[in-house]
Amino acid sequence: FEIFLGTIVNPATGHFFMFFDRAWHHDGFAESYGHDIEGSWLIAEAAEVLGEKESIERAGKNALFMADAVLKDGLAPTGALESEYDPVSGKRTDRYSWWEQNEAVVGSFNAYQISGEGKYLVQAEKTLDMILSYHIDRENGGYFPYLKADLTPMHGDKANMWICPYHNGRMAMELLERTNEKE
C-alpha cells in the first residue's frame, strides 16, 4: 500500500510511473490511462480490505486524484479512453482497447461512489454506452478488441495471450456488486 501510494503514483500528475528498477527508481514517463484508472479503484478496494480508516480515506483521495487525471488527460474527443501517451515524444496510441474502456467504467463509478459527484457517474455511463455501441460484435459475438480513432472496429484476434474476457467480465461483476442494495 505504501509503495503503491508513495512510489508508483506520480504525485505531480496522478498517473503511474510505469517502469522501475530493483531500487524503485522509475525510468520513464509514459502514461497508461487504462492502468491508471484500473489502479485507482483497485487501491481503494485494497484499503477497504485492510479496514483501516486512515488507509481508506487516503486511498479514496488518491482514487479521485487518479480518476481526475485520467479523465482530464486520457479522454479522446469521441469519449473513449485513450491507451497511452508519451509526454517526451508527444505520441498517443491511435486505437482504443476494449479492456481500458471496461476499466474506465469501473474506475469512474468508483470515483462516483467515493465522492458522490455526478460527473463520474456520467462518465461511467458514457463509456459504457460507447462499449455497447462500438466494441460489441453483434454479428459474431464477443468484443472487438480494438477500435480505430473513428470508432470503427479493427478486426483480428478476439482472444490470445493478451485478449480475453477478463476485464469485461470483471466490469460486469463489479457493477453488479456495487449497485446491489446491501441489507
Side-chain angles (χ1 to χ4, degrees), residues 55-76:
S55 295
I56 293 168
E57 289 174 5
R58 189 169 164 215
K61 287 177 186 174
N62 181 79
L64 296 177
F65 179 52
M66 292 183 75
D68 286 338
V70 168
L71 298 180
K72 179 179 136 280
D73 300 336
L75 285 180

Side-chain angles (χ1 to χ4, degrees), residues 55-181:
S55 295
I56 293 168
E57 289 174 5
R58 189 169 164 215
K61 287 177 186 174
N62 181 79
L64 296 177
F65 179 52
M66 292 183 75
D68 286 338
V70 168
L71 298 180
K72 179 179 136 280
D73 300 336
L75 285 180
T78 59
L81 184 65
E82 294 181 343
S83 293
E84 295 178 2
Y85 171 65
D86 181 350
V88 175
S89 69
K91 291 184 181 178
R92 294 185 178 275
T93 306
D94 60 353
R95 66 179 185 194
Y96 308 126
S97 175
W98 91 104
W99 77 268
E100 290 145 336
Q101 309 315 313
N102 287 270
E103 294 301 339
V105 172
V106 178
S108 296
F109 195 80
N110 182 68
Y112 167 70
Q113 288 182 301
I114 291 169
S115 70
E117 291 184 46
K119 68 179 182 178
Y120 299 115
L121 182 58
V122 167
Q123 186 57 52
E125 291 171 342
K126 186 175 183 180
T127 305
L128 183 58
D129 287 344
M130 193 277 300
I131 291 168
L132 296 172
S133 297
Y134 298 101
H135 268 290
I136 304 295
D137 182 347
R138 304 220 181 267
E139 185 177 329
N140 299 303
Y143 271 46
F144 293 112
Y146 303 104
L147 302 175
K148 297 176 188 173
D150 66 0
L151 300 178
T152 58
M154 297 175 71
H155 296 278
D157 290 346
K158 288 208 175 169
N160 63 30
M161 186 170 93
W162 294 107
I163 299 172
C164 66
Y166 170 75
H167 294 277
N168 12 346
R170 184 171 71 173
M171 176 194 68
M173 289 183 276
E174 283 292 327
L175 291 178
L176 284 170
E177 183 177 315
R178 290 165 182 266
T179 57
N180 257 346
E181 289 185 0

